[in-house]
Amino acid sequence: MLLGKKIAVTMPAYYAAKTVGKTVADIPREYVDIVILVDDASKDDTFATAQALGISVFRNEKNLNYGGNVKRCLQLALDAGADIVIQLHPDYQYPPKVTLPMAAMLATGYHDLVLGARTSGKGARGTMPFWRYLPTACSPW
């Protein structure tokens, strides 16, 4: 809880067995009330690995694709009573520690939406094609 707001971190997962443990370990749990992972019918050990982490884990029996999985994540967070929802990918391309500053910006009520760019840090280097960096590199910010 942060400034009286219930914080949920949702993770739309697909083949994330290798990285979900590291991602969950770095979430600032002292401020996050619930962590929800939805496995989108992965055929690896994502579901079992996430269950062992002590978070809320759900599995889509049929692959809903990214958009459908995100919608399910958001609905589960709202059903859990979340005031603030932070979507975090379990592949560690966004550092999980950004959840606290993002939640703080939202909890103040000054911001309605906070977006992260995985191209602004080291997390995505080597895992994303070069052309995806161009919008950030050409940005005036």
Side-chain angles (χ1 to χ4, degrees):
M1 188 137 327
L2 184 65
L3 297 176
K5 306 287 185 181
K6 185 173 182 178
I7 311 296
V9 170
T10 64
M11 294 191 291
Y14 189 63
Y15 287 93
K18 293 180 182 178
T19 54
V20 68
K22 180 180 178 185
T23 304
V24 169
D26 281 353
I27 294 172
R29 298 295 293 270
E30 61 272 22
Y31 299 101
V32 173
D33 299 288
I34 186 168
V35 177
I36 299 168
L37 180 136
V38 180
D39 177 35
D40 201 17
S42 302
K43 292 183 178 27
D44 68 353
D45 291 329
T46 298
F47 184 73
T49 302
Q51 281 184 312
L53 298 173
I55 61 175
S56 297
V57 182
F58 300 86
R59 179 175 172 80
N60 298 330
E61 292 305 316
K62 177 184 168 208
N63 185 289
L64 301 179
N65 296 313
Y66 180 70
N69 200 20
V70 167
K71 284 167 51 174
R72 183 160 187 220
C73 284
L74 294 173
Q75 189 60 60
L76 288 166
L78 294 175
D79 292 347
D83 298 305
I84 295 173
V85 180
I86 305 290
Q87 181 183 312
L88 179 67
H89 295 197
D91 60 4
Y92 213 88
Q93 286 190 351
Y94 294 94
K97 292 180 181 178
V98 302
T99 58
L100 178 57
M102 293 176 93
M105 290 168 46
L106 294 165
T108 63
Y110 186 75
H111 300 282
D112 294 325
L113 175 70
V114 177
L115 298 173
R118 61 184 168 180
T119 58
S120 62
K122 296 178 185 175
R125 288 193 189 139
T127 62
M128 241 174 33
F130 171 75
W131 61 268
R132 287 202 175 169
Y133 286 91
L134 293 178
T136 305
C138 299
S139 169
W141 298 280

